[in-house]
Amino acid sequence: MSTSYVIPQRRVWPEAAPRTAYSVASGDLRLSANTTCWPAQRAFEERVSETLASRGWSLHRAHDVDAEKGHGFIDSQARGIEVFRSVPKTAPLIVIEAVWQYSHHVLAGLRAHEGPILLIANWEGRFPGLVGLLNLTASLTKANIEHSVLWSQDLTDEWALAKLDEWLETGRIEHDTSHVRELGQLADSDEVALGTALAHQLRDEKAVIGVFDEGCMGMYNAIIDDEMLNATGIYKERLSQSALLAEMDQVSAAEAEQALQWLENAGLTFHWGTEDATELTRAQVLSQMRMYIAALRIGDDYGVDAIGIQYQQGLKDQCAASDLAEGLLNNVARPPVSSRDGKRELWKGAPLPHFNEVDEGVAVDALVTNRIWTAMGFDPATTLHDIRWGEDFGDDFVWVFEISGSVPASHNGGYDKSYSMRQVPMFFPKGGGTLSGISKPGEIVWSRVFVMDDALHADVGRAHVVELPSEETQRRLHATDHQWPIMHAVLHGVTRDQLMARHKSNHIQVAYAPSADAADRALEAKAAMFAGMGIQVHLCGETSI
Ligand SMILES: C[C@H](O)[C@@H](O)[C@@H](O)C(=O)CO
């Protein structure tokens, strides 16, 4: 049959070569991050390649290094789609990650891939490959894409090699996740009554989360579909970061100055410098004060119960980083902000929970935490952290939980124990201060709300924060990003590998309770509230339930 239409030919995929795995490397969108991190990525890829060779396999890199750009990362979704056009559909495929990456760069290719998929990261603090892997596994889980995960310092340990062999032989890796159990029926208690009542209230009365530009840094997992979210009683108000910038312009210089002076009076140490490109300046922080005030005013306009600023792409090229504003919003004690007419103090004596990186799993969790902790009379300050890295210290495995810029000051023991440093230039060209510190020792509840099997789930567990000798803290800070806030967390009854195997996010939510008993009770109320919202709850490790 002849036709004048231009009909495209069906694409023919190449055949997979025997005992050959294909590899891809997903990167950041920012050239500065990709070129800086490239040497670490290349070194780890070489290690993976050598290890495969020692097993009689070869590794074929599915895309070239771009000499002009100076790195070999997939740096956009479109590039990822292009790369996957030449990957044999049924070939074993390894996503090698030594750095923070944007999951959506490779999601399209992985969705359509028919062969076994392995995500592998190096156990390294310097560049957050583990954080990248955790986001990708969470994103693939949400997308119902079968895959396996593995991590290792240098692929010489027997545990990792055995797991790699398992994948090469069977196309799958089974990990030990015996620390996870279903919540089941809760016994009657005041905490269960509280959690259940708060869930009913939320579903009956509803809540609004203000989302300043959905979808941060390719974190597909952090977007919860409205149908799923609305069933819990939570609704999104979609806001634009452009409106935030416009509102920042309306904040007077005097208001911004007052807020900064409030922080200085409260004892927050600013690491001031003069070089805008690499150091923290007063102008940068004043811009952050404007953002803090503007966010509260917009939140007030829309009657939100929590707010999230996407912050990185777009906003980071327009103004100083939003981190300082975010940390302040999550704290009870913070510079007072009035409505535009000056008649009302906004969220007086209370935080406006902020979900960093507009992670909507964090939004649900922060809202729940805020309501339970407030009802129980505990400090409701809560934050996410990146699960960045960790090492043994003494008898414990101590995690480096490290959010990329800010925590509520109460987590550090107050403003006078907190400090602000210029955000990392590679990520934040216009600077801005962090709200950093070393999280105080104490008892915490940790959790994560995530999408799996087309439903909302929550993992909850207990941990405590330890104080480490200051040399060890500094070592950990300098082995990662020393500008960012750090928490030395010891999980109860969950090993390093169990957390890595199970956790469905690069983020973990934490909140302090005044004692171990109080934390156990708060966890119980939280589990009951999640369950009452229709979320499937899993208890992880040792809990009192
Ligand atoms: C600045 C970096 O891009 C970080 O934002 C990144 O590692 C994360 O925090 C991911 O949660």
Side-chain angles (χ1 to χ4, degrees):
M1 203 172 59
S2 78
T3 174
S4 57
Y5 298 158
V6 181
I7 299 181
Q9 291 285 310
R10 228 20 247 277
R11 171 166 288 277
V12 181
W13 258 263
E15 288 293 319
R19 286 183 89 75
T20 301
Y22 288 70
S23 79
V24 294
S26 177
D28 207 291
L29 198 71
R30 296 163 284 203
L31 183 65
S32 54
N34 283 333
T35 49
T36 310
C37 300
W38 172 237
Q41 173 74 20
R42 196 178 41 202
F44 188 51
E45 285 188 19
E46 273 165 21
R47 191 65 211 110
V48 176
S49 180
E50 285 161 15
T51 310
L52 254 65
S54 72
R55 267 68 206 144
W57 279 69
S58 49
L59 186 68
H60 178 84
R61 196 171 206 278
H63 51 111
D64 292 332
V65 176
D66 187 327
E68 218 165 285
K69 286 184 178 170
H71 68 79
F73 290 111
I74 295 174
D75 55 3
S76 72
Q77 177 167 235
R79 174 75 183 125
I81 289 171
E82 188 189 3
V83 165
F84 272 90
R85 287 188 192 133
S86 59
V87 176
K89 278 237 184 256
T90 55
L93 182 100
I94 310 183
V95 186
I96 304 176
E97 284 310 333
V99 302
W100 167 245
Q101 60 81 44
Y102 287 23
S103 292
H104 80 301
H105 290 170
V106 286
L107 198 57
L110 294 175
R111 261 194 209 282
H113 193 71
E114 291 160 13
I117 298 169
L118 174 65
L119 318 183
I120 186 164
N122 53 344
W123 196 266
E124 239 288 326
R126 184 68 204 97
F127 296 107
L130 296 166
V131 186
L133 174 135
L134 284 167
N135 185 264
L136 189 52
T137 187
S139 295
L140 297 187
T141 300
K142 177 187 166 190
N144 293 319
I145 301 169
E146 233 185 85
H147 65 284
S148 299
V149 284
L150 188 58
W151 46 91
S152 171
Q153 190 157 357
D154 50 13
L155 282 169
T156 53
D157 55 305
E158 277 179 21
W159 176 85
L161 290 175
K163 292 287 179 202
L164 183 63
D165 288 340
E166 185 182 334
W167 185 76
L168 290 170
E169 278 155 31
T170 67
R172 288 178 61 86
I173 296 178
E174 294 294 338
H175 285 291
D176 168 19
T177 52
S178 57
H179 65 293
V180 184
R181 60 193 194 286
E182 302 319 305
L183 179 63
Q185 189 65 39
L186 282 162
D188 285 346
S189 69
D190 288 354
E191 291 72 30
V192 172
L194 172 66
T196 309
L198 286 170
H200 285 150
Q201 182 189 45
L202 182 59
R203 284 177 114 165
D204 292 346
E205 297 177 12
K206 321 273 184 260
V208 174
I209 56 167
V211 183
F212 277 108
D213 288 348
E214 196 162 58
C216 178
M217 297 187 289
M219 297 192 302
Y220 173 73
N221 69 309
I223 301 169
I224 302 177
D225 188 81
D226 292 64
E227 302 309 320
M228 211 179 272
L229 186 68
N230 295 168
T232 68
I234 301 174
Y235 286 74
K236 296 183 208 180
E237 185 72 53
R238 289 184 168 83
L239 303 166
S240 163
Q241 297 195 146
S242 318
L244 187 60
L245 283 169
E247 188 67 36
M248 283 165 68
D249 270 351
Q250 302 305 309
V251 175
S252 73
E255 285 177 308
E257 185 60 46
Q258 268 164 25
L260 173 49
Q261 273 173 24
W262 189 98
L263 291 175
E264 287 179 316
N265 292 340
L268 182 63
T269 302
F270 288 94
H271 290 254
W272 298 122
T274 48
E275 279 304 313
D276 194 55
T278 51
E279 296 177 336
L280 185 65
T281 65
R282 212 168 167 88
Q284 291 169 17
V285 177
L286 286 170
S287 147
Q288 293 180 297
M289 295 299 97
R290 286 174 182 272
M291 187 185 289
Y292 162 67
I293 295 166
L296 282 158
R297 289 191 176 146
I298 294 180
D300 184 46
D301 290 341
Y302 288 92
V304 303
D305 297 274
I307 205 160
I309 304 173
Q310 199 238 84
Y311 98 125
Q312 293 218 348
Q313 303 307 338
L315 201 62
K316 65 137 181 49
D317 301 313
Q318 292 293 322
C319 62
S322 58
D323 298 282
L324 186 51
E326 299 175 10
L328 296 179
L329 291 169
N330 274 326
N331 208 52
V332 175
R334 50 187 178 74
V337 174
S338 64
S339 54
R340 287 184 202 85
D341 59 10
K343 291 198 174 133
R344 288 172 297 121
E345 186 180 333
L346 303 179
W347 282 272
K348 186 174 170 25
L352 167 56
H354 181 274
F355 44 104
N356 304 57
E357 299 173 2
V358 287
D359 181 337
E360 293 165 5
V362 171
V364 175
D365 202 322
L367 197 67
V368 165
T369 306
N370 177 271
R371 294 192 174 186
I372 292 170
W373 264 242
T374 304
M376 292 179 89
F378 304 159
D379 174 14
T382 180
T383 186
L384 69 84
H385 275 286
D386 272 351
I387 299 178
R388 178 65 183 259
W389 178 55
E391 275 188 350
D392 287 332
F393 189 85
D395 294 338
D396 293 322
F397 182 82
V398 182
W399 285 97
V400 174
F401 287 172
E402 192 173 82
I403 186 172
S404 56
S406 71
V407 290
S410 75
H411 282 204
N412 304 326
Y415 287 100
D416 55 343
K417 298 191 177 58
S418 304
Y419 51 87
S420 181
M421 298 181 81
R422 192 200 188 280
Q423 260 291 15
V424 182
M426 145 173 103
F427 292 130
F428 298 95
K430 298 224 173 242
T434 61
L435 210 164
S436 294
I438 301 147
S439 289
K440 64 187 177 190
E443 299 291 334
I444 59 169
V445 177
W446 66 265
S447 46
R448 176 65 204 179
V449 174
F450 59 99
V451 179
M452 184 169 71
D453 301 330
D454 302 312
L456 273 182
H457 294 252
D459 279 357
V460 291
R462 281 275 285 107
H464 64 279
V465 181
V466 291
E467 189 175 348
L468 295 181
S470 84
E471 315 80 72
E472 177 63 8
T473 299
Q474 289 309 318
R475 188 184 73 83
R476 285 169 179 248
L477 279 171
H478 286 274
T480 54
D481 284 284
H482 69 280
Q483 299 89 339
W484 294 349
I486 192 168
M487 173 178 267
H488 304 308
V490 177
L491 303 189
H492 296 181
V494 184
T495 66
R496 177 193 95 157
D497 296 333
Q498 285 176 327
L499 187 77
M500 287 300 297
R502 164 69 184 185
H503 203 76
K504 298 295 175 236
S505 174
N506 45 319
H507 293 154
I508 189 162
Q509 194 72 18
V510 294
Y512 280 88
S515 66
D517 169 62
D520 290 342
R521 286 186 283 117
L523 182 148
E524 196 175 334
K526 195 168 196 179
M529 184 163 176
F530 280 147
M533 291 160 67
I535 298 173
Q536 296 175 45
V537 182
H538 313 272
L539 299 172
C540 298
E542 288 155 19
T543 69
S544 61
I545 300 178

